[in-house]
Amino acid sequence: MVIRYLSRPSSVRTAALALGALVLLSSPAAATEAPAEPAPPRPIPAYSSALLDRPGTQVRLGPGAPAVPGNVSALAWVVADAHTGEVLGARNAHRRLPPASTLKSLFALATLPRLDADTRHVVAQHELDQVGEGSSMVGVAEGRAYRVADLWRGVFLSSGNDAVHVLARLNGGLDKTVREMRAKARELGARDTHVVSPDGYDAAGQVSSAYDLAVFGRAGLADPEFARYCSTRVAQFPAGGWSYPIQNTNRLLTGADGVAAYPGLLGVKNGYTSHAGSTLISAAQRGGRTLVVTVMNPQAGGGRAVYEEARSLLDWGFGAAGKVQPVGSLVPPEESRPAPSPAHAGGQAALAVRPDDSEWPAVLMVAAGCAVLLAGCVLAVRRRRATVARRRDVRRVSD
């Protein structure tokens, strides 16, 4: 019975705590134990988030690091490591600007997990009524049936505002989707973003920042479904009894319209409106490293500038990695993160028990406690024997 009891991890810990307490309480050293040493000071982080709050270009070049490219005219940009979240360099990272269709990345983060990709839906006219005039379209038509996966390809490849509106209706409506997008932005620590329209169409008060767009890109790459859609170059879009090809409008991914494709590019999302100018979230892999680059509203170079400036920043980031000190992080500090829901908190608690946690400390405590109890038993037996011997000697003397 004892073996079965100790074989359970919870039982081991319970026995360890009980026996350990007995040992400590019975030990004279417990009362005279020296006070614990003060905890060492927390290490100072390698960067200060205040750097990203400052206007202008922020970079901390080390020995051998290349200079930031001088041909970047964007009002704001960020270069970050997608794995660690460290920001290698930035310009006006938190400047609030209209995001155009790069906001669709946040729409996908908030909505993708809520919709089954295989669900088929027949589009009603009212689902397309509020699509903005002059919006980019993939060709969603009233009365036609589409799978949710088809509509997502229309969002990522053709930047179709018509597909966004249908998906938002499937998600419970435009207002509900906007609220969920705002909540998702807060959850990710993206504090510069204010959502008005889920498709990124110009709307009063709708803003984001190069920092927040980098946060969305990094989070999207961590989702296999998002990553698959955003890296798709060409797909077929249904049109009743036939289909037609659609091509990703991200020229760095496809190499279209005179823009050379960038080696190792993973996509993410591009955008343009007359108010926002050109905007872009790009990510690329090279030598085991993945970088996320965001570019907002280049001031020179025409329609290709957003891609060529992103190319320059990607090249700089791969060359500078390991040679610059980070100027910030895409990972929000613990104190600024919203409190997790009870279900999520339970998952976090489970993750807090690392695979390398060992039962040996508890086992050793049990062993130590058993040794103390065994020693006590031996001492008691010896005292009993001595008492019996003394009584026997007294009887012999009296006889």
Side-chain angles (χ1 to χ4, degrees), residues 87-291:
V87 178
L88 307 184
R91 180 183 184 189
N92 300 328
H94 288 292
R95 180 173 177 177
R96 296 182 177 184
L97 296 165
S101 286
T102 52
L103 194 65
K104 290 182 173 74
S105 59
L106 177 60
F107 169 70
L109 288 171
T111 311
L112 259 175
R114 303 174 185 274
L115 301 177
D116 185 348
D118 293 324
T119 297
R120 294 185 67 84
H121 174 69
V122 178
V123 175
Q125 179 57 48
H126 74 273
E127 295 173 330
L128 302 172
D129 285 345
Q130 296 184 45
V131 177
E133 184 179 353
S135 289
S136 54
M137 304 281 200
V138 66
V140 176
E142 174 192 1
R144 287 182 184 165
Y146 301 90
R147 289 193 311 138
V148 165
D150 296 324
L151 296 171
W152 279 119
R153 282 187 280 270
V155 171
F156 278 95
L157 276 68
S158 296
S159 203
N161 288 7
D162 47 356
V164 170
H165 278 248
V166 174
L167 289 168
R169 299 284 187 176
L170 287 172
N171 187 52
L174 294 177
D175 292 342
K176 176 176 180 288
T177 300
V178 166
R179 289 194 301 270
E180 290 172 353
M181 290 172 67
R182 292 174 179 174
K184 187 66 176 179
R186 290 194 300 271
E187 175 190 327
L188 294 171
R191 303 291 178 172
D192 305 320
T193 298
H194 180 68
V195 182
V196 178
S197 174
D199 52 18
Y201 189 80
D202 286 339
Q206 181 152 275
V207 292
S208 189
S209 67
Y211 178 91
D212 285 10
L213 295 183
V215 169
F216 303 152
R218 178 175 184 258
L221 293 175
D223 181 336
E225 193 173 16
F226 183 112
R228 184 173 65 253
Y229 284 128
C230 80
S231 62
T232 300
R233 291 173 170 80
V234 179
Q236 292 294 123
F237 194 77
W242 60 291
S243 63
Y244 53 89
I246 55 176
Q247 178 174 278
N248 201 308
T249 55
N250 185 345
R251 300 180 199 177
L252 276 186
L253 182 66
T254 62
D257 300 326
V259 176
Y262 191 87
L265 199 83
L266 303 175
V268 180
K269 192 70 190 75
N270 58 312
Y272 173 81
T273 68
S274 56
H275 183 51
S278 294
T279 58
L280 180 66
I281 309 171
S282 282
Q285 285 182 329
R286 182 185 299 176
R289 186 183 299 275
T290 302
L291 296 183

Side-chain angles (χ1 to χ4, degrees), residues 32-44:
T32 60
E33 184 178 356
E37 295 183 2
R42 296 179 63 183
I44 299 174

